[in-house]
Amino acid sequence: ADLFHPQTKGTGDLYSREQFQAYHDHLATGGAAWQWLPLEQLTPAGLKSVVRTFATVFESVEFWRFHRYGALVGRRSNERFSVELMQRSPLSSDDQRQMTLGMWTDRLQILAGWELGVAGVRSLGADGPLNTMDRPRVEFDAARAFGRSPKENLRDNLELILGRLSAELSSFTRI
């Protein structure tokens, strides 16, 4: 998992189908690939492109959000996120730093970041173009994102994501 800034030359390749395929091919059994997304630096078109591209590579995909950053989480099979596994996993130095800074005081607070499951993610990226190394849509779109205010990009992306979240939540039935 890493956070790449789309306006940096060459970064479009890091959001490409080929790069995501490399993540996929190197995952250990039960592993997950996290791709962080700077929501204030992507236009809605750029976000849709990254989401669609990621979702074409991973069978199981989720969208998580922490403040102004999104994260796509992909697995090779229909494995699901496990609270038990999360509690047993060692904390990375970055997780420890985030907890120290007060971003999270407990691992379970991380669960509040879940926003979209497989259907919601696929819907979010449905009309986005694939981002490939020979067609780096995200890199081409970066100039448009840079020409808009970060608040405008963030607002528009959150509206897109929350619209899919609403649709996904409405499909749940009450017990």
Side-chain angles (χ1 to χ4, degrees):
D2 209 345
L3 176 63
F4 308 113
H5 298 283
Q7 74 273 16
T8 305
K9 185 179 178 184
T11 302
D13 288 352
L14 300 173
Y15 291 110
S16 71
R17 182 181 61 213
E18 295 86 350
Q19 184 69 29
F20 294 152
Q21 189 65 52
Y23 296 165
H24 175 279
D25 294 348
H26 289 87
L27 278 179
T29 302
W34 285 68
Q35 178 59 63
W36 290 98
L37 303 172
L39 297 175
E40 77 282 3
Q41 294 179 14
L42 290 164
T43 65
L47 175 64
K48 289 179 182 181
S49 180
V50 174
V51 169
R52 177 171 180 224
T53 304
F54 193 88
T56 63
V57 172
F58 293 94
E59 184 176 332
S60 176
V61 5
E62 298 167 347
F63 184 88
W64 294 67
R65 187 173 61 84
F66 305 98
H67 305 286
R68 61 183 199 269
Y69 300 102
L72 289 165
V73 180
R75 294 176 184 81
R76 288 198 281 187
S77 64
N78 279 326
E79 299 162 346
R80 296 285 180 212
F81 178 81
S82 161
V83 173
E84 181 182 324
L85 177 61
M86 183 176 112
Q87 289 181 315
R88 285 195 327 251
S89 299
L91 284 173
S92 71
S93 59
D94 191 51
D95 289 336
Q96 291 172 3
R97 184 176 62 80
Q98 296 294 347
M99 289 177 80
T100 302
L101 294 174
M103 187 176 234
W104 305 311
T105 56
D106 181 292
R107 287 180 189 221
L108 293 179
Q109 283 184 323
I110 296 170
L111 292 175
W114 183 92
E115 293 205 350
L116 298 173
V118 175
V121 171
R122 295 198 190 288
S123 172
L124 178 61
D127 61 347
L130 283 176
N131 188 58
T132 62
M133 287 190 175
D134 62 338
R135 286 196 164 75
R137 309 275 185 166
V138 172
E139 195 165 332
F140 291 148
D141 190 63
R144 192 173 304 123
F146 194 67
R148 295 168 39 120
S149 78
K151 287 181 181 180
E152 189 178 14
N153 288 327
L154 181 60
R155 180 200 66 222
D156 292 350
N157 285 328
L158 291 177
E159 285 176 2
L160 265 177
I161 295 160
L162 294 174
R164 296 315 187 286
L165 176 60
S166 261
E168 191 158 314
L169 291 177
S170 70
S171 69
F172 288 110
T173 56
R174 292 187 182 257
I175 297 175

